[in-house]
mmCIF file of all heavy atoms in Angstrom:
data_model
loop_
_atom_site.group_PDB
_atom_site.id
_atom_site.type_symbol
_atom_site.label_atom_id
_atom_site.label_comp_id
_atom_site.label_asym_id
_atom_site.label_seq_id
_atom_site.Cartn_x
_atom_site.Cartn_y
_atom_site.Cartn_z
ATOM 1 N N ALA A 618 2.712 -54.299 -11.850
ATOM 2 C CA ALA A 618 1.960 -54.381 -10.631
ATOM 3 C C ALA A 618 2.204 -55.488 -9.663
ATOM 4 O O ALA A 618 2.322 -55.329 -8.399
ATOM 5 C CB ALA A 618 0.377 -54.268 -10.911
ATOM 6 N N PHE A 687 17.419 -76.651 -18.070
ATOM 7 C CA PHE A 687 17.353 -77.273 -16.761
ATOM 8 C C PHE A 687 18.521 -78.097 -16.464
ATOM 9 O O PHE A 687 19.179 -77.902 -15.302
ATOM 10 C CB PHE A 687 15.957 -78.307 -16.795
ATOM 11 C CG PHE A 687 15.576 -78.745 -15.287
ATOM 12 C CD1 PHE A 687 16.014 -78.070 -14.177
ATOM 13 C CD2 PHE A 687 14.828 -79.873 -15.230
ATOM 14 C CE1 PHE A 687 15.593 -78.512 -12.944
ATOM 15 C CE2 PHE A 687 14.326 -80.296 -13.999
ATOM 16 C CZ PHE A 687 14.814 -79.627 -12.812
ATOM 17 N N GLU A 746 3.840 -63.060 -17.185
ATOM 18 C CA GLU A 746 2.973 -63.546 -16.172
ATOM 19 C C GLU A 746 3.651 -63.476 -14.798
ATOM 20 O O GLU A 746 4.639 -64.282 -14.574
ATOM 21 C CB GLU A 746 2.563 -65.016 -16.341
ATOM 22 C CG GLU A 746 1.612 -65.049 -17.620
ATOM 23 C CD GLU A 746 1.198 -66.472 -17.900
ATOM 24 O OE1 GLU A 746 1.429 -67.410 -17.060
ATOM 25 O OE2 GLU A 746 0.755 -66.761 -19.046
ATOM 26 N N ALA A 758 9.094 -64.191 1.604
ATOM 27 C CA ALA A 758 9.533 -63.063 2.457
ATOM 28 C C ALA A 758 9.068 -63.212 3.889
ATOM 29 O O ALA A 758 9.760 -63.073 4.830
ATOM 30 C CB ALA A 758 9.118 -61.703 1.862
ATOM 31 N N ILE A 783 17.736 -69.413 3.414
ATOM 32 C CA ILE A 783 17.767 -70.745 2.938
ATOM 33 C C ILE A 783 16.190 -71.100 3.040
ATOM 34 O O ILE A 783 15.581 -71.736 2.031
ATOM 35 C CB ILE A 783 18.593 -71.694 3.887
ATOM 36 C CG1 ILE A 783 20.055 -71.434 3.683
ATOM 37 C CG2 ILE A 783 18.219 -73.103 3.570
ATOM 38 C CD1 ILE A 783 20.982 -72.246 4.465
ATOM 39 N N ALA A 787 13.883 -72.014 -0.251
ATOM 40 C CA ALA A 787 13.132 -73.297 -0.444
ATOM 41 C C ALA A 787 11.702 -73.116 -0.737
ATOM 42 O O ALA A 787 11.097 -73.841 -1.567
ATOM 43 C CB ALA A 787 13.302 -74.112 0.962
ATOM 44 N N ARG A 798 4.348 -75.287 -13.661
ATOM 45 C CA ARG A 798 4.098 -76.652 -14.015
ATOM 46 C C ARG A 798 5.473 -77.299 -14.605
ATOM 47 O O ARG A 798 5.504 -77.759 -15.600
ATOM 48 C CB ARG A 798 2.991 -76.757 -15.010
ATOM 49 C CG ARG A 798 1.687 -76.306 -14.423
ATOM 50 C CD ARG A 798 0.536 -76.333 -15.409
ATOM 51 N NE ARG A 798 0.622 -75.555 -16.528
ATOM 52 C CZ ARG A 798 0.358 -74.243 -16.598
ATOM 53 N NH1 ARG A 798 -0.257 -73.702 -15.381
ATOM 54 N NH2 ARG A 798 0.575 -73.417 -17.483
ATOM 55 N N GLY A 817 23.677 -67.150 -22.681
ATOM 56 C CA GLY A 817 23.892 -67.332 -21.156
ATOM 57 C C GLY A 817 25.403 -67.142 -20.615
ATOM 58 O O GLY A 817 25.569 -66.517 -19.649
ATOM 59 N N SER A 843 38.216 -54.044 11.523
ATOM 60 C CA SER A 843 37.915 -55.138 12.454
ATOM 61 C C SER A 843 36.450 -55.585 12.114
ATOM 62 O O SER A 843 35.803 -55.191 11.302
ATOM 63 C CB SER A 843 37.743 -54.273 13.762
ATOM 64 O OG SER A 843 36.753 -53.389 13.836
ATOM 65 N N LEU A 847 33.571 -53.619 10.049
ATOM 66 C CA LEU A 847 33.214 -54.170 8.725
ATOM 67 C C LEU A 847 31.575 -54.433 8.888
ATOM 68 O O LEU A 847 30.909 -54.234 7.961
ATOM 69 C CB LEU A 847 33.910 -55.532 8.467
ATOM 70 C CG LEU A 847 33.551 -56.242 7.204
ATOM 71 C CD1 LEU A 847 33.950 -55.347 5.992
ATOM 72 C CD2 LEU A 847 33.988 -57.614 7.122
ATOM 73 N N LEU A 856 21.655 -50.992 3.795
ATOM 74 C CA LEU A 856 20.534 -50.097 3.979
ATOM 75 C C LEU A 856 20.535 -49.108 2.853
ATOM 76 O O LEU A 856 19.332 -49.013 2.315
ATOM 77 C CB LEU A 856 20.798 -49.242 5.205
ATOM 78 C CG LEU A 856 19.869 -48.170 5.587
ATOM 79 C CD1 LEU A 856 18.384 -48.800 5.751
ATOM 80 C CD2 LEU A 856 20.194 -47.277 6.768
ATOM 81 N N GLU A 922 21.250 -46.868 19.496
ATOM 82 C CA GLU A 922 22.503 -46.294 19.750
ATOM 83 C C GLU A 922 23.745 -47.064 19.335
ATOM 84 O O GLU A 922 24.746 -46.604 18.799
ATOM 85 C CB GLU A 922 22.620 -45.897 21.271
ATOM 86 C CG GLU A 922 23.926 -45.311 21.654
ATOM 87 C CD GLU A 922 23.861 -43.814 21.246
ATOM 88 O OE1 GLU A 922 22.889 -43.169 21.083
ATOM 89 O OE2 GLU A 922 25.003 -43.272 20.821
ATOM 90 N N ALA A 983 36.419 -46.397 6.538
ATOM 91 C CA ALA A 983 35.071 -46.579 6.095
ATOM 92 C C ALA A 983 34.752 -45.331 5.138
ATOM 93 O O ALA A 983 34.136 -45.437 4.091
ATOM 94 C CB ALA A 983 34.016 -46.637 7.075
ATOM 95 N N ALA A 1019 14.658 -34.976 -19.471
ATOM 96 C CA ALA A 1019 13.925 -35.817 -18.784
ATOM 97 C C ALA A 1019 14.165 -35.883 -17.313
ATOM 98 O O ALA A 1019 13.303 -36.094 -16.428
ATOM 99 C CB ALA A 1019 13.833 -37.187 -19.368
#
Side-chain angles (χ1 to χ4, degrees):
F687 195 15
E746 294 178 8
I783 293 175
R798 296 181 293 279
S843 67
L847 185 65
L856 177 62
E922 182 68 35

